[in-house]
């Protein structure tokens, strides 16, 4: 389960790669370690324009997972899109692109955090994300109840290289402009085809052991 990723390309490169028409992210520094329940940029549709916006990583947890708990730190990865809990957030207006340059899967025997990217130069890609605006919950006890715009991304079965480190799952990653457009606009039967692993050999291990990758 991917609970750590990085985004180290400049803001201009992110806007160009994902056809961003409106930038609401402010001054975006390199993000060598993006952790659950923190803020990170996504590309979403707003008023018909692809918009770069900051959102909090972690969609609402299912009710059964919250029994006896006062805090919901959120669900970072979504696999079972047949679940009623997730089906309500799969239409195009709840979808987003989550930019990344590398992501980590943890395996203690292999050296801790194992970082994967499309190449040594960490080219931009994105996760197939879902989002929810204005969710009221207690994310951290010290903060009390807050209202947040939330996101998570889909996972699927792993390809060969990720499977050697984490045999249960890998993120659903999009790499082409056509895939970006399909994910943001297509009806679910077509968009659902993108919840699949990258082909074997598409990823490589670029770092081991650190909680941050890159700048």
């Amino acid at each position: 389960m991917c609970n750590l990723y990085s985004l180290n390309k400049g803001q201009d490169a992110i806007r160009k790669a994902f056809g961003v028409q409106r930038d609401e992210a402010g001054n975006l520094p390199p993000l060598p370690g993006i952790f659950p329940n923190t803020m990170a940029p996504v590309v979403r549709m707003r008023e018909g324009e692809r918009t770069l916006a900051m959102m909090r990583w972690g969609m609402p947890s299912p009710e059964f997972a919250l029994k006896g708990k006062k805090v919901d730190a959120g669900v970072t990865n979504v696999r079972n899109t047949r679940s009623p809990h997730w089906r309500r957030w799969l239409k195009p207006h709840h979808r987003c692109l989550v930019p990344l340059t590398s992501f980590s899967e943890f395996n203690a025997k292999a050296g801790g955090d194992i970082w994967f990217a499309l190449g040594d130069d960490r080219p931009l890609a994105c996760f197939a994300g879902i989002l929810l605006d204005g969710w009221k919950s207690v994310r951290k006890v010290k903060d009390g109840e807050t209202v947040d715009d939330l996101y998570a991304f889909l996972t699927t079965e792993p390809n060969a290289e990720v499977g050697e480190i984490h045999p249960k799952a890998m993120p659903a990653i999009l790499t082409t402009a056509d895939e970006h457009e399909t994910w943001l606009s297509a009806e679910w039967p077509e968009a659902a085809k993108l919840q699949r692993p990258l082909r074997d050999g598409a990823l490589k291990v670029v770092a081991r052991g650190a909680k941050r990758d890159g700048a």
Side-chain angles (χ1 to χ4, degrees):
M1 182 170 68
C2 176
N3 275 325
L4 176 61
Y5 68 100
S6 74
L7 177 60
N8 285 316
K9 296 297 184 184
Q11 207 156 345
D12 286 343
I14 295 168
R15 287 191 289 256
K16 182 177 179 180
F18 302 109
V20 171
Q21 298 157 290
R22 180 190 300 185
D23 190 342
E24 299 176 352
N27 185 21
L28 188 63
L31 298 170
I34 299 173
F35 297 88
N37 209 14
T38 62
M39 302 294 289
V42 307
V43 178
R44 58 172 302 170
M45 297 303 297
R46 198 192 299 277
E47 297 178 352
E49 294 183 319
R50 289 194 187 186
T51 301
L52 188 66
M54 300 297 289
M55 303 187 78
R56 195 169 189 168
W57 185 15
M59 290 284 281
S61 300
E63 287 188 15
F64 73 85
L66 294 176
K67 289 183 178 178
K69 298 180 179 179
K70 296 181 179 179
V71 173
D72 180 13
V75 177
T76 57
N77 298 179
V78 176
R79 180 73 176 268
N80 182 13
T81 53
R82 296 181 300 276
S83 163
H85 180 74
W86 301 118
R87 280 205 310 265
R88 55 184 163 166
W89 298 319
L90 295 177
K91 293 183 179 180
H93 64 278
H94 280 295
R95 296 191 213 132
C96 62
L97 311 176
V98 183
L100 74 135
T101 48
S102 62
F103 69 95
S104 170
E105 298 288 2
F106 186 84
N107 184 313
K109 293 182 179 179
D113 283 285
I114 310 302
W115 289 89
F116 294 91
L118 295 176
D120 287 323
D121 58 343
R122 278 79 161 171
L124 277 162
C126 63
F127 300 126
I130 58 174
L131 63 81
L132 179 61
D133 288 322
W135 184 258
K136 185 183 295 185
S137 64
V138 178
R139 307 286 296 194
K140 297 180 180 180
V141 171
K142 66 177 183 178
D143 295 338
E145 189 174 73
T146 59
V147 178
D148 299 283
D149 297 336
L150 306 175
Y151 76 96
F153 47 79
L154 303 192
T155 61
T156 184
E157 62 270 16
N159 68 357
E161 49 268 40
V162 176
E164 291 181 2
I165 301 300
H166 187 70
K168 292 185 178 180
M170 70 171 287
I173 297 174
L174 313 178
T175 61
T176 70
D178 286 345
E179 290 174 349
H180 302 163
E181 179 61 25
T182 296
W183 183 250
L184 289 175
S185 64
E187 294 302 315
W188 180 243
E190 183 66 19
K193 297 175 184 178
L194 296 174
Q195 189 182 12
R196 79 289 180 261
L198 290 183
R199 61 174 176 79
D200 294 345
L203 294 166
K204 66 180 300 182
V205 174
V206 294
R208 293 177 182 265
K211 285 294 182 185
R212 289 170 172 78
D213 179 52

